[in-house]
Amino acid sequence: MALVNFTNLDFDQIKTSIKDYLRSNSNFTDYDFEGSNLSTIIDVLAYNTYISSYNANMISNEVFIDSATLRENVVSLARNVGYIPRSRTSARATISFFVDTTGFQSNPLTLTLKKGLVCTSSNTFGSESYTFAIPSDVTVPVVNNIAFFENVVIYEGTFLTTNFIVQSENPAPPQRYILENPNIDTSTISISIKDTQSSTSSRKFILSNSLFNVTSLSRVFFLQEVEDQRYELIFGDGIFGEKLQSLNYIDVSYIATNGENGNGISSFNFNGRIVDNNNNLVTTGISLITTNVTSQGGKEIESIDSIKKYATSFYSTQNRAVTSSDYVTLIPKIYPEAQSVSVYGGEELNPPQYGKVFISIKPFFGPFVPNSIKDNLKTELRKYAVAGIIPEIIDLKYLYVEADITAYYNSNLAPDSEFVRTLISNNINSYANSTELNKNGARFKYSKFQKIVDDSHESVTSNITKIQIRRDLRAALNQFAKYEICYGNAFHIKTMEGYNIKSSGFNVSGITETVYLGDQPNIDKKTGTLFLFSNPDFQNPIIKKSNIGTIDYEKGEILLNPINIISTSKSIGGESIIEISVIPVSNDVIGKQDLYLQLDINKVVLNMKTDDISSGADVSASLYDVTSSYTNGLRIRQ
Amino acid sequence: MPLERVSKAFKDISMSFQVNPINYDIIGLKNENAIARSVRNLVLTSPGERFFNQNLGSKVSRSLFENIDDISASVIKDEIENTIRNYEPRVDLIDVIIDPDYDNNNFNVTINYFIVGIDALPQQLSFALQPTR
């Protein structure tokens, strides 16, 4: 009998196969007894085979990107297809402050905020304080003894510098320029090169991700991730990129960051260094710091799973955005804060808009991509897009589900209502964050949601859950604008008297009071008209303006005729919004087409009631606290 | 047709790896010798020494640096008995005698046993356990 099984990775199985071999091919018999000499020899053979098999298995796994597990191997394999994994990204905040130069001995013309440390977080977060820096100097003029540093973008992390001296033009082995810190945000790397260390002038080199437009004189450097999440700088060879000369002095500066830990910081203390145009240090007259934008956008280094996913897709795009999936792959690379991307061609619309591709992006932070980033993204995408095709970045259309839950629980089986409430809340949170929702084409399954509440704890006996759907209208203030809001779900007409939709308050030109949207169904119960009403005492509504738009109950559409909204009572991230909620015909809510379905955790109401019948406190049910299955009678959203 | 008689025998390899001068084959150990070697191997193997079999062996080496007295001897005796019962099914143990040798700083071990499966006289295996580093 020959040894046939070469692929075993289990020591005992290898040992068994050697014993089987000896059983049929040898005069020896004692291999079955652990104390025998033969058994010791078999152990050594099996162990040797085991190590060889393990090594062979690991090597063959690490050769392919699908099965590789070590980061440096995955990165190396991704490099073969031209994919550079995303580095850790520092959180960015925008601040403003001014310096009053009154009383300075010499009147400075300009003030310069030097690169490096600018601020520290004024509060400690989990016993940690964060530092914020800028990668290059910021100079502003002094006007009327005041120097305004406005909208300075600061980066969370430590500003670091390192230097290399080029040993010779063709050293053997080749000289490597490795940045030793593993937490670098590569977008902050700045390189200047001097002819020698003592030279006074320097040349700036910029990062290049491809060989496009790179000539023998281009001052570029390339970057690659090497072992232990560090980065290696690669310079040109005189054909692609300028070649470095012997004794050239490389000055590298970068920011090493804490990644996503630096997000959400809004309060800063100044710790920077300001000098005037005569290089005198400024220490007085510096105002408190105003935070324009809270720190956000900090991210960890790209994970192994993400590299595996995007490296292959990235290769298939060939640096070109042609199909919609090309855009889906390219956008997270250009804009790392993208959590999910949805892309469709204009020809799919009704009516079709040929020559356009529509992109909606859900960022990790906040609901919408800021307008400034949208413009940048469009410019970046033009480099990849097919000539004649215009990328249009549109805001995600969120369809929120709001739930009003009354859960009954058996008080004998739970320590208190808060205990049960916490369990239910946790489960609802998990459901809200699951992939069942949070995507285009998602469905909120009412019965499953009720089951999640019921199954939260053994004490929960039943629940009554009322569902509303809501969309937020982003108002264009102080201008006449037409609005169309689609819900993709049919609306329930509770009463022909109207007030089936509920909105938050807003002000329009020509009406002094805060107004709300109301609806009046037509006889056919399919469509209706919209009106504005005020509701000062929450009891008797006063209609202020009729026929301001139409409502289609079957299609789930609200259409507002041109209207000049001047302010709204609610806002999200500085954007004025009007919340408009309706009761859907079906409790199963569908996120149709471009609607991104979310369960709004902040608007989930959870009431706890004891089930006195189950607990035995009220066996006859004569005092049972009944909960209505229908929503409240308010006409507006508060 | 004469009944074929299958002789049950134990054959093991010798760790000396010497060559038999007559047939130039490796020297083997048979029956009583093979089992005696196996018993000795088990007693002298420390747990954890063998790959993926952490419990095989006896912990006698831990007792060899204790005071040489009857208590240590008793511990060693129990350990040897347990090891042989657990890992050597070919041996039917009669007794284990541990004799502390105070002058030479070691324990003299005598193991008496029957061999299960072959027709052999009761066996006696003697060796000394000495503390070595």
Side-chain angles (χ1 to χ4, degrees):
Chain A
M1 185 188 124
L3 274 173
V4 286
N5 194 350
F6 303 108
T7 55
N8 259 331
L9 282 176
D10 183 77
F11 177 79
D12 288 327
Q13 288 179 12
I14 296 167
K15 205 168 146 182
T16 306
S17 64
I18 295 174
K19 282 182 185 175
D20 288 343
Y21 173 78
L22 286 174
R23 192 166 286 125
S24 54
N25 293 322
S26 166
N27 289 326
F28 294 109
T29 55
D30 282 9
Y31 40 78
D32 279 331
F33 303 104
E34 293 295 339
S36 65
N37 291 333
L38 204 53
S39 175
T40 310
I41 292 173
I42 291 171
D43 269 6
V44 174
L45 290 172
Y47 190 66
N48 196 26
T49 309
Y50 167 76
I51 295 290
S52 302
S53 302
Y54 175 79
N55 281 338
N57 187 56
M58 279 300 284
I59 290 166
S60 53
N61 276 347
E62 295 297 320
V63 165
F64 302 102
I65 196 164
D66 285 337
S67 50
T69 53
L70 300 175
R71 182 179 177 90
E72 60 186 86
N73 292 332
V74 176
V75 170
S76 171
L77 290 164
R79 193 183 303 138
N80 290 344
V81 292
Y83 185 79
I84 303 160
R86 195 184 57 241
S87 73
R88 199 183 261 213
T89 313
S90 59
R92 280 139 216 228
T94 308
I95 58 164
S96 297
F97 62 97
F98 63 88
V99 181
D100 186 353
T101 61
T102 313
F104 282 25
Q105 284 185 342
S106 61
N107 286 333
L109 298 173
T110 60
L111 292 185
T112 302
L113 177 62
K114 300 299 279 182
K115 64 184 176 184
L117 177 65
V118 175
C119 302
T120 50
S121 56
S122 59
N123 301 318
T124 51
F125 293 83
S127 78
E128 264 191 84
S129 149
Y130 293 94
T131 59
F132 285 74
I134 51 172
S136 55
D137 294 349
V138 175
T139 302
V140 296
V142 180
V143 180
N144 296 332
N145 287 335
I146 299 284
F148 279 108
F149 287 90
E150 282 187 288
N151 296 322
V152 179
V153 178
I154 52 174
Y155 299 69
E156 186 279 317
T158 312
F159 181 77
L160 297 166
T161 57
T162 188
N163 304 302
F164 302 98
I165 295 174
V166 179
Q167 288 164 358
S168 65
E169 284 182 36
N170 294 305
Q175 189 177 359
R176 298 184 76 184
Y177 308 103
I178 295 175
L179 305 176
E180 292 299 333
N181 198 308
N183 302 323
I184 298 171
D185 178 349
T186 54
S187 67
T188 62
I189 294 177
S190 167
I191 293 183
S192 58
I193 294 180
K194 295 194 278 190
D195 288 340
T196 62
Q197 190 170 355
S198 55
S199 300
T200 49
S201 63
S202 63
R203 318 187 290 281
K204 192 110 181 139
F205 277 57
I206 56 164
L207 176 65
S208 176
N209 288 327
S210 73
L211 296 180
F212 292 121
N213 299 326
V214 176
T215 67
S216 59
L217 298 175
S218 301
R219 286 173 181 167
V220 293
F221 69 94
F222 306 95
L223 206 60
Q224 69 177 27
E225 189 184 324
V226 292
E227 59 274 13
D228 303 328
Q229 301 177 22
R230 295 175 303 159
Y231 290 92
E232 181 178 7
L233 308 172
I234 296 168
F235 292 94
D237 55 2
I239 299 166
F240 289 110
E242 184 181 312
K243 188 177 184 179
L244 300 187
Q245 306 297 316
S246 177
L247 294 180
N248 275 180
Y249 186 75
I250 307 170
D251 194 1
V252 189
S253 65
Y254 54 86
I255 288 174
T257 172
N258 291 299
E260 61 190 19
N261 290 345
N263 289 331
I265 297 171
S266 57
S267 177
F268 301 98
N269 290 332
F270 184 78
N271 276 302
R273 206 168 137 255
I274 298 175
V275 294
D276 65 12
N277 49 308
N278 298 318
N279 218 16
N280 298 319
L281 189 63
V282 175
T283 53
T284 57
I286 302 168
S287 73
L288 290 174
I289 286 178
T290 310
T291 307
N292 305 109
V293 179
T294 305
S295 69
Q296 60 182 26
K299 278 206 84 194
E300 294 305 305
I301 196 166
E302 185 169 2
S303 68
I304 293 175
D305 287 341
S306 172
I307 298 171
K308 285 181 180 179
K309 179 183 170 191
Y310 283 111
T312 43
S313 323
F314 180 77
Y315 181 64
S316 67
T317 68
Q318 294 286 325
N319 261 345
R320 297 280 183 278
V322 181
T323 66
S324 54
S325 60
D326 293 346
Y327 283 92
V328 173
T329 309
L330 277 168
I331 287 167
K333 197 163 170 53
I334 300 168
Y335 178 57
E337 282 93 69
Q339 185 182 21
S340 73
V341 181
S342 168
V343 181
Y344 52 91
E347 76 282 358
E348 291 177 25
L349 291 178
N350 188 18
Q353 294 191 36
Y354 296 108
K356 282 186 176 177
V357 57
F358 292 90
I359 303 158
S360 59
I361 302 169
K362 163 77 177 73
F364 276 104
F365 308 101
F368 304 114
V369 179
N371 283 335
S372 55
I373 291 178
K374 271 187 202 166
D375 295 339
N376 279 350
L377 254 175
K378 278 170 81 170
T379 316
E380 280 295 311
L381 279 172
R382 291 292 302 153
K383 295 179 188 169
Y384 302 97
V386 175
I389 298 291
I390 303 163
E392 287 282 344
I393 298 170
I394 53 172
D395 285 328
L396 260 189
K397 294 176 181 171
Y398 289 91
L399 178 64
Y400 298 102
V401 178
E402 299 179 355
D404 181 341
I405 306 160
T406 304
Y408 284 89
Y409 71 102
N410 182 342
S411 52
N412 295 336
L413 298 175
D416 55 48
S417 64
E418 278 310 305
F419 172 78
V420 188
R421 180 196 293 275
T422 308
L423 288 176
I424 295 175
S425 292
N426 290 345
N427 282 348
I428 292 173
N429 275 337
S430 306
Y431 180 69
N433 293 327
S434 70
T435 49
E436 186 116 324
L437 307 173
N438 303 310
K439 60 183 179 186
N440 299 311
R443 182 159 74 95
F444 172 82
K445 296 163 188 143
Y446 182 66
S447 63
K448 276 204 171 166
F449 183 73
Q450 283 197 306
K451 190 169 183 297
I452 286 167
V453 176
D454 281 350
D455 292 349
S456 294
H457 190 247
E458 57 176 347
S459 63
V460 180
T461 53
S462 68
N463 74 84
I464 288 181
T465 301
K466 289 165 269 192
I467 297 296
Q468 283 192 103
I469 52 177
R470 187 191 92 228
R471 286 204 57 198
D472 295 342
L473 183 152
R474 294 172 81 186
L477 295 182
N478 299 313
Q479 53 184 289
F480 276 94
K482 194 175 172 181
Y483 300 93
E484 184 183 2
I485 312 154
C486 303
Y487 288 72
N489 292 266
F491 300 158
H492 172 65
I493 301 175
K494 192 176 173 186
T495 160
M496 289 300 283
E497 290 171 17
Y499 303 103
N500 295 298
I501 66 171
K502 295 178 187 179
S503 79
S504 59
F506 56 99
N507 287 84
V508 295
S509 64
I511 301 175
T512 48
E513 297 100 326
T514 300
V515 291
Y516 304 88
L517 271 181
D519 63 306
Q520 176 67 58
N522 295 333
I523 297 295
D524 61 2
K525 286 191 175 181
K526 289 179 181 171
T527 55
T529 54
L530 298 173
F531 56 86
L532 294 175
F533 68 97
S534 66
N535 202 16
D537 57 357
F538 298 108
Q539 295 291 329
N540 303 307
I542 306 160
I543 293 177
K544 291 288 179 184
K545 199 171 183 184
S546 298
N547 289 323
I548 59 142
T550 57
I551 179 168
D552 190 322
Y553 296 99
E554 283 194 336
K555 285 186 184 168
E557 279 181 9
I558 292 172
L559 191 65
L560 283 172
N561 296 335
I563 183 171
N564 186 1
I565 300 168
I566 52 176
S567 68
T568 61
S569 63
K570 304 219 171 189
S571 66
I572 291 181
E575 296 265 2
S576 300
I577 58 152
I578 302 170
E579 295 178 348
I580 306 173
S581 59
V582 296
I583 298 167
V585 161
S586 166
N587 279 335
D588 276 12
V589 182
I590 299 156
K592 255 185 201 169
Q593 294 161 350
D594 54 347
L595 288 174
Y596 191 90
L597 192 66
Q598 277 199 321
L599 177 62
D600 193 344
I601 288 296
N602 300 322
K603 296 281 165 55
V604 170
V605 179
L606 180 55
N607 301 308
M608 301 301 300
K609 283 191 179 176
T610 52
D611 184 349
D612 291 340
I613 302 174
S614 298
S615 66
D618 180 21
V619 284
S620 66
S622 42
L623 299 171
Y624 189 74
D625 187 0
V626 175
T627 301
S628 168
S629 294
Y630 299 94
T631 46
N632 66 41
L634 283 178
R635 297 182 174 91
I636 59 170
R637 287 180 65 84
Q638 288 176 309
Chain B
M1 185 180 168
L3 188 69
E4 190 184 348
R5 186 159 180 262
V6 179
S7 166
K8 188 166 184 180
F10 300 111
K11 283 187 209 162
D12 195 5
I13 201 167
S14 166
M15 277 298 193
S16 67
F17 291 110
Q18 285 179 336
V19 176
N20 186 324
I22 298 166
N23 58 13
Y24 298 104
D25 200 354
I26 197 161
I27 289 179
L29 298 173
K30 282 188 183 170
N31 297 338
E32 297 91 332
N33 290 337
I35 289 167
R37 171 53 66 179
S38 171
V39 170
R40 227 176 104 128
N41 283 348
L42 286 172
V43 173
L44 298 180
T45 300
S46 296
E49 211 175 287
R50 292 283 281 271
F51 307 117
F52 298 98
N53 196 350
Q54 303 301 312
N55 299 323
L56 182 81
S58 75
K59 297 173 192 161
V60 292
S61 57
R62 290 186 194 175
S63 304
L64 296 179
F65 287 95
E66 301 293 327
N67 291 333
I68 297 187
D69 53 20
D70 290 339
I71 297 172
S72 298
S74 170
V75 171
I76 292 171
K77 179 175 184 284
D78 286 348
E79 193 58 39
I80 291 176
E81 284 177 355
N82 284 337
T83 304
I84 293 173
R85 289 207 175 96
N86 285 336
Y87 293 106
E88 189 45 275
R90 297 173 291 181
V91 163
D92 184 5
L93 208 56
I94 299 170
D95 61 3
V96 176
I97 300 159
I98 310 293
D99 183 17
D101 182 351
Y102 302 101
D103 296 334
N104 293 318
N105 202 28
N106 62 22
F107 292 95
N108 291 321
V109 179
T110 307
I111 305 169
N112 295 307
Y113 56 89
F114 293 112
I115 296 176
V116 179
I118 58 169
D119 193 12
L121 293 170
Q123 302 290 310
Q124 186 177 63
L125 172 67
S126 298
F127 54 92
L129 288 174
Q130 234 174 357
T132 52
R133 286 189 187 276

